[in-house]
Amino acid sequence: HSAERFALVGHSTGCQNSIHFLKCGRRDVVDRMKVVALQAPVSDRESLTLSPGSNQSAEHLTHAKSLLSQNKGNEMMPRTAFW
């Protein structure tokens, strides 16, 4: 595409993605951004600790480490790790 300048808008978790892109994205693309808007930013990791009884982070971390040790680092985590 031939866009000279563009805006990036992140909502909720998309705010984290936008910041990550600013830090790690292709420099030529990042340099063409005119503005980045963060709408309703949230910390997903922090939100896990705010709901009593719903913190499965330790289980998910154990599962992720197990996948890595089996050379399955590209496998998807279970749905409960995201919602």
Side-chain angles (χ1 to χ4, degrees), residues 9-28:
V9 179
H11 176 263
S12 191
T13 302
C15 294
Q16 296 171 36
N17 297 339
S18 298
I19 296 300
H20 177 78
F21 183 76
L22 285 174
K23 181 178 178 185
C24 304
R26 280 185 23 202
R27 217 54 263 157
D28 63 315

Side-chain angles (χ1 to χ4, degrees), residues 29-75:
V29 177
V30 171
D31 290 344
R32 291 192 324 222
M33 275 193 235
K34 184 171 183 171
V35 65
V36 176
L38 305 178
Q39 171 65 35
V42 65
S43 169
D44 295 324
R45 290 184 188 124
E46 184 180 357
S47 71
L48 290 174
T49 65
L50 299 177
S51 301
S54 66
N55 189 355
Q56 297 178 320
S57 297
E59 292 174 29
H60 294 146
L61 184 58
T62 299
H63 183 70
K65 287 179 178 180
S66 172
L67 289 173
L68 288 173
S69 71
Q70 299 171 50
N71 291 322
K72 296 180 179 180
N74 290 329
E75 292 289 322

